[in-house]
Amino acid sequence: MPTDYQLQDVARLPLPTDNVAITTQRLEAGAEIVDGDQRYTLSHTMLEGHRFAVAPIASGDALRSWGLPFGYATRAIAPGDYVANEAMLEALGGRTIDFVLPTTPNFADHIEPYDFDENGWQPVDQVACHPDARTFMGYRRSGGRGVGTRNYIVLLGTTSRTGSFVKQLEERLKGIVADYPNVDGVVAVAHTEGGSDHPNNLELLLRTLAGFMVNPNVGAVLAVDFGVEPVTNRMLAAYCQEHGYAIDQLPHRFLSLTGPFQANLEVGEAQVRAWLPLVNQAQRTPESLSHLKIGLQCGGSDAFSGISANPLLGWVAREIIRYGGAANLAETDELIGAESYVLQKVRDIATAQKFLATVEAFKERVSWHGHSAEGNPSGGNKFRGLYNIVLKSIGAANKKDPAVRLDHVIAYSELMEEPGFYFMDSPGNDLESVAGQIGAGCNMIFFTTGNGSITNFPFVPTIKMVTTTRRYRLLSREMDVNAGAYLDGTPMDELGAETLDLTVAIASGQRCAGEKAGHAQVQIWRDWRQTDPSHLKELLNQPLPDGASLPVLPPAAPRPAVTFATRRSNGTHALDQVALVLPTSLCAGQVARMAATRLNRQALGRDQGISRFVSLVHTEGCGVSGGSSEELYIRTMLGYMAHPLVGPCLLLEHGCEKTHNDYMRHQLAAEGIDPNRLGWASVQLDGGIENVLGKIESWFSQAIDQAPPSVEERAGLEALRIGLASAGPVTPKAAAALSELTRQVVAAGGSVVLPQNTGLLSDATYLDATLGSQPALPTLAYGAPMHSVGFHIMETPTAHWVETLTGLGATGVDLIIAYIGEHPLQTHPMIPLLQITDQSEVHNAFGPDLDLWLEGSADQWPTQILSRIAAVAEHAYAPLLYQLGNIDFQVTRGLLGVSM
């Protein structure tokens, strides 16, 4: 029932000169607002964080928050009118809401052009130093590395190809530090980069890895590669040497993997065990706050970020600088429209020019891919009141206190070598930006959030500050600071002093909420594929394959008499049935993995034919451009949701991402898939990690109990859907055998899918025997499900092995065969991957990791492969590297995806 409200009780004006207010709670249509001498009625029901006019705004006049214009009225707006742009209405239209939205927007976005007035610039001092010293208990490092707030042994995957190795080594070493009280842990740092040829982010990647190695929170580091990747340990060591990174001041080793996976794990474990006594010798000592270098981040921002949490963080950063420390502001695209605020106090003209040039360079890079940096705000941002990039940027810029001067502008992960306030170039993607700050030397991260992002980094503590008391209560176990107390009346100076005390305590060893939860993620600024706009038009107009299979030549031998154990469900045979926890974005990935691990420990569903629970952890769904890369991502996700191997499936959102649960519901409905057959959960809206894990377990228990049982049946080659890939050179005998296998399966009515980047499609032996003179053209887009049986070729925008496997799995294959001509590679978390070879040097080096050694008569090799497939289907055999945990999953961004 509508009622009367005092404006100050239900809304906030960031500045008295603003002509729109921000609601602090949901308000119903028809509510009366008393604003001094005036009274007006709300035109529509409004969510918390959304805006309404508090003064008449004529058509063509500016709408203002924080005194800055963020749009211009397209028609007259009266006090009490819901102010809405097209992007916000579109975002809310895709959500499940119980009220009526305005039918049309009443303002258009506007970015005020900014020109730095060099003639009017005046020198200004940085904030005054504190008269009194203050200390924390930290780890002093030699060689100018600074002072650590933590003391970790880091297992660094130099490229994506060794990410799963270091993660498995971390798992192997769980609990090893129990007898070493001065060692905080042994942690893996795995990422997606360096695994594809000719990376455009090579310099950035090497600089970030070098910065990780010498970060003061690192007590020792093991860097791991194979030695044959586009980025190697040799290149990283040379970069450190050439650029003066003090890696000789800490225990370190560059380990290139040779031989079997298990033997390499033993080598890694032995090295860590040898380091532990040495690293444990480090002692915490009283150290000046001048040694704190803090990263300032925001993610899952809302309309209150710029009112409570970001100003609070700006307060803390100001005090750290006054004590002689350093603060690092990043996320370049989230300062577009706030240039005037950032540069109101700047060290010199050159620093101002460098800042503006950095913003322009970021915009240009994004434009090469057909996007605009101004498109940054996510669906979660818009849902919580950040309608456009200007509103988001104005709020984000408040992490810089008005009294603080901008001192330095640096590249992504460039070392911070002086005190003061820094701006670092980075995308708005939270995880990628954090990685750059840690590469730059930050020993603490401060992360403000409106929706309740749960981001943490493996070896640097993250203090999370949430904007409202309501969201803090919902997520109290995941958050460190309730900045909403400021909205409730606590003075900023009081709240700031409390937060600074907490900062000192956490810097001295008290665990932050994220460390207690055991949740951490790493992502380095992902590679971009275009270096100019010359190919843009062609790429934007590239048609997708039509999905029709290619005819193949008949097999040379009679059909083998082999059958497979299958499960028949919904009219389809599958070699297995799994339950899937599918994160809708990068920030839900680790929680999805926790859920699958817990459910597998419970052996839930085993009696109903569910062999295991799987999570597909990836880095997409937010902090990335839209367009073709988003379409590619959604296509791949839909392929896994509808995969023949998948029984019960639950989608897990973080809550503030671009591809949130409601977004995915609409995508499913558009494809004719009933969203109600899936489960849905939200890390943020369901109350944090423990609560959402409980919800997931409950849903799967019920879904499995209520599902009709799948039927076990024997089937022949017609039931097979196999992927066929290769890594390294293929011998003629192996190419001929794999062609015969392909033709046998297709002739029987089954399907074979090859990725476009496989060496088999440039091998004359395979091509001539399989397709004859027919061209080997793609029939499937990356990640597109098969809708016709037969022989298919899937587009592969990159040569990245894991991205290739991920797309191949989404086509609907339920087993992949990989011919290995170099060294074994990561396996797939859901689709069994058999790694085979006939090359003696490969077998001699990696025999314990290979699933099949092709020997004897080559005519029998197809039968040997089919026998191994049958053993997998019978659950009598599991791929060896899958058992050892050498597993990875990553969706490609294609040729036009770019971080934002």
Side-chain angles (χ1 to χ4, degrees):
M1 187 85 178
T3 187
D4 290 358
Y5 298 100
Q6 294 292 321
L7 176 66
Q8 66 270 21
D9 293 336
V10 295
R12 288 288 185 276
L13 287 170
L15 287 178
T17 56
D18 293 346
N19 55 11
V20 297
I22 303 168
T23 61
T24 56
Q25 65 183 61
R26 173 170 167 153
L27 296 172
E28 302 300 323
E32 292 286 321
I33 304 297
V34 179
D35 179 8
D37 295 335
Q38 65 173 335
R39 174 186 289 265
Y40 41 83
T41 303
L42 293 186
S43 63
H44 294 78
T45 296
M46 300 181 62
L47 292 173
E48 176 187 60
H50 286 242
R51 287 170 167 80
F52 62 88
V54 297
I57 305 172
S59 179
D61 282 358
L63 285 71
R64 296 180 179 275
S65 268
W66 288 274
L68 297 174
F70 63 88
Y72 281 83
T74 55
R75 62 172 188 265
I77 301 173
D81 282 356
Y82 196 162
V83 299
N85 63 349
E86 184 175 351
M88 184 275 283
L89 291 177
E90 181 181 346
L92 264 67
R95 293 277 189 167
T96 302
I97 55 176
D98 61 354
F99 58 90
V100 177
L101 291 167
T103 55
T104 57
N106 55 14
F107 81 90
D109 297 338
H110 173 77
I111 299 176
E112 192 76 9
Y114 178 75
D115 291 314
F116 181 69
D117 182 6
E118 296 183 11
N119 294 326
W121 174 81
Q122 295 291 327
V124 60
D125 292 332
Q126 186 53 282
V127 289
C129 294
H130 257 293
D132 302 317
R134 189 168 182 181
T135 62
F136 72 101
M137 300 298 291
Y139 294 100
R140 176 171 286 277
R141 306 299 189 184
S142 61
R145 289 206 299 132
V147 175
T149 63
R150 296 293 184 270
N151 188 32
Y152 277 100
I153 295 176
V154 170
L155 314 171
L156 178 63
T158 302
T159 75
S160 59
R161 297 192 194 179
T162 50
S164 53
F165 175 86
V166 295
K167 286 188 285 189
Q168 195 58 32
L169 183 55
E170 176 193 47
E171 187 65 29
R172 182 185 180 100
L173 296 170
K174 287 285 187 190
I176 196 174
V177 301
D179 296 327
Y180 300 91
N182 296 325
V183 181
D184 288 295
V186 179
V187 293
V189 172
H191 57 90
T192 61
E193 300 309 291
S196 290
D197 292 335
H198 313 300
N200 290 317
N201 66 347
L202 175 61
E203 172 79 14
L204 171 159
L205 175 59
L206 290 171
R207 186 169 63 237
T208 305
L209 297 176
F212 284 174
M213 294 183 76
V214 300
N215 186 284
N217 286 10
V218 178
V221 59
L222 179 70
V224 183
D225 76 345
F226 279 103
V228 296
E229 303 94 325
V231 180
T232 63
N233 277 346
R234 189 183 312 109
M235 294 166 65
L236 177 56
Y239 187 91
C240 291
Q241 181 71 29
E242 291 166 11
H243 294 84
Y245 285 82
I247 58 171
D248 291 336
Q249 298 298 315
L250 78 160
H252 69 280
R253 178 177 177 181
F254 292 101
L255 174 65
S256 292
L257 303 181
T258 58
F261 192 81
Q262 180 69 31
N264 284 313
L265 288 174
E266 292 168 1
V267 171
E269 178 179 350
Q271 180 62 80
V272 172
R273 289 186 180 277
W275 278 336
L276 278 167
L278 178 63
V279 176
N280 191 57
Q281 290 176 12
Q283 300 283 329
R284 287 189 182 270
T285 54
E287 302 290 346
S288 167
L289 291 195
S290 64
H291 293 293
L292 289 183
K293 297 180 179 181
I294 65 173
L296 314 180
Q297 276 291 323
C298 57
S301 300
D302 69 1
F304 304 106
S305 294
I307 299 174
S308 61
N310 287 342
L312 173 59
L313 179 48
W315 193 103
V316 173
R318 182 193 71 206
E319 296 306 295
I320 295 295
I321 291 170
R322 291 186 67 201
Y323 282 112
N328 180 310
L329 175 68
E331 301 178 287
T332 305
D333 48 329
E334 296 186 5
L335 294 174
I336 295 171
E339 294 91 345
S340 61
Y341 178 85
V342 175
L343 296 178
Q344 65 183 356
K345 290 187 177 181
V346 61
R347 182 178 188 172
D348 50 36
I349 291 173
T351 302
Q353 291 172 333
K354 189 174 182 181
F355 171 77
L356 294 172
T358 300
V359 173
E360 289 306 311
F362 190 98
K363 291 180 181 179
E364 182 181 24
R365 185 187 304 109
V366 171
S367 73
W368 296 337
H369 299 78
H371 309 291
S372 166
E374 289 83 353
N376 168 286
S378 70
N381 294 147
K382 295 169 188 173
F383 187 66
R384 296 276 293 172
L386 296 179
Y387 302 166
N388 60 27
I389 188 59
V390 177
L391 285 174
K392 186 172 183 178
S393 293
I394 295 170
N398 274 274
K399 294 193 290 292
K400 174 182 173 291
D401 188 90
V404 168
R405 183 186 74 181
L406 174 62
D407 294 311
H408 312 281
V409 175
I410 59 175
Y412 183 85
S413 66
E414 182 181 344
L415 290 177
M416 302 159 61
E417 296 180 332
E418 299 178 37
F421 194 90
Y422 286 75
F423 165 73
M424 183 194 77
D425 185 27
S426 86
N429 183 300
D430 305 332
L431 298 182
E432 295 181 13
S433 187
V434 166
Q437 291 175 318
I438 289 164
C442 289
N443 51 13
M444 297 187 79
I445 297 293
F446 288 75
F447 195 100
T448 66
T449 180
N451 286 273
S453 295
I454 59 170
T455 298
N456 299 287
F457 195 85
F459 61 83
V460 175
T462 301
I463 297 178
K464 291 191 289 297
M465 310 163 75
V466 70
T467 61
T468 63
T469 298
R470 184 178 294 107
R471 195 53 70 120
Y472 178 79
R473 288 171 178 162
L474 181 65
L475 296 163
S476 58
R477 283 180 291 190
E478 324 303 336
M479 300 293 125
D480 297 283
V481 177
N482 175 23
Y486 173 71
L487 298 174
D488 302 335
T490 302
M492 183 61 76
D493 286 343
E494 179 183 333
L495 191 56
E498 292 174 1
T499 306
L500 185 60
D501 289 344
L502 178 65
T503 299
V504 173
I506 290 177
S508 300
Q510 177 178 312
R511 292 196 302 164
C512 65
E515 290 174 308
K516 294 174 185 175
H519 172 274
Q521 293 169 280
V522 179
Q523 185 170 326
I524 296 171
W525 193 341
R526 291 202 68 188
D527 195 16
W528 52 91
R529 307 298 299 176
Q530 306 305 313
T531 56
D532 59 47
S534 59
H535 301 292
L536 181 58
K537 185 176 180 180
E538 174 191 352
L539 293 170
L540 288 173
N541 293 293
Q542 197 168 57
L544 295 176
D546 62 11
S549 60
L550 295 173
V552 300
L553 298 176
R559 176 175 175 172
V562 58
T563 61
F564 309 92
T566 71
R567 289 195 166 272
R568 188 174 181 86
S569 178
N570 298 320
T572 302
H573 289 98
L575 298 186
D576 196 6
Q577 187 170 66
V578 303
L580 178 61
V581 186
L582 186 61
T584 68
S585 72
L586 62 165
C587 291
Q590 299 304 316
V591 182
R593 178 178 283 136
M594 290 179 184
T597 300
R598 283 195 186 190
L599 290 162
N600 279 323
R601 286 175 183 157
Q602 297 173 21
L604 188 65
R606 296 292 190 274
D607 295 338
Q608 291 89 349
I610 302 295
S611 68
R612 58 203 161 99
F613 283 79
V614 174
S615 60
L616 301 179
V617 180
H618 56 86
T619 64
E620 302 309 299
C622 206
V624 64
S625 54
S628 61
S629 57
E630 185 173 314
E631 293 166 5
L632 183 154
Y633 166 70
I634 294 300
R635 184 168 65 236
T636 305
M637 292 296 99
L638 291 172
Y640 282 102
M641 290 181 226
H643 199 286
L645 287 179
V646 174
C649 174
L650 178 141
L651 271 66
L652 175 65
E653 69 170 10
H654 189 214
C656 55
E657 59 267 73
K658 180 187 295 187
T659 53
H660 48 77
N661 277 349
D662 282 340
Y663 178 96
M664 300 301 284
R665 286 187 180 96
H666 283 270
Q667 296 296 324
L668 285 165
E671 293 295 319
I673 301 171
D674 181 9
N676 293 319
R677 75 174 183 83
L678 297 149
W680 304 88
S682 173
V683 177
Q684 292 171 359
L685 297 181
D686 288 324
I689 295 174
E690 285 303 319
N691 286 350
V692 80
L693 289 175
K695 179 177 181 178
I696 292 169
E697 292 175 16
S698 296
W699 184 85
F700 274 112
S701 294
Q702 185 175 8
I704 290 170
D705 286 343
Q706 295 177 353
S710 58
V711 179
E712 294 186 23
E713 288 186 0
R714 304 293 303 183
L717 295 182
E718 72 281 357
L720 288 185
R721 294 178 299 274
I722 62 174
L724 188 56
S726 62
V730 184
T731 66
K733 288 171 65 175
L738 292 172
S739 173
E740 177 66 14
L741 175 68
T742 298
R743 289 176 286 147
Q744 288 282 2
V745 172
V746 172
S751 295
V752 177
V753 185
L754 273 66
Q756 188 180 12
N757 61 13
T758 177
L760 290 169
L761 291 178
S762 57
D763 184 282
T765 301
Y766 182 86
L767 283 176
D768 292 346
T770 307
L771 294 175
S773 60
Q774 185 180 191
L777 299 176
T779 64
L780 297 171
Y782 178 93
M786 286 182 284
H787 295 299
S788 62
V789 298
F791 181 76
H792 287 280
I793 299 172
M794 182 195 75
E795 288 182 324
T796 47
T798 73
H800 193 291
W801 173 257
V802 176
E803 291 181 0
T804 298
L805 290 187
T806 298
L808 200 55
T811 66
V813 300
D814 45 16
L815 186 136
I816 300 172
I817 298 162
Y819 178 86
I820 303 301
E822 190 175 69
H823 61 79
L825 292 165
Q826 298 104 312
T827 62
H828 193 286
M830 188 175 99
I831 315 295
L833 174 70
L834 294 173
Q835 306 200 49
I836 68 174
T837 195
D838 66 328
Q839 297 184 37
S840 57
E841 61 271 26
V842 175
H843 180 255
N844 291 339
F846 303 105
D849 296 342
L850 297 168
D851 297 296
L852 185 61
W853 164 230
L854 299 171
E855 55 182 343
S857 171
D859 292 341
Q860 296 303 309
W861 290 358
T863 302
Q864 292 177 28
I865 296 169
L866 290 171
S867 297
R868 186 52 50 94
I869 294 173
V872 172
E874 299 280 359
H875 297 288
Y877 182 85
L880 294 172
L881 284 180
Y882 178 86
Q883 295 182 59
L884 292 173
N886 193 9
I887 300 165
D888 208 350
F889 184 88
Q890 179 58 45
V891 183
T892 186
R893 289 183 175 175
L895 299 177
L896 293 177
V898 61
S899 297
M900 291 173 62

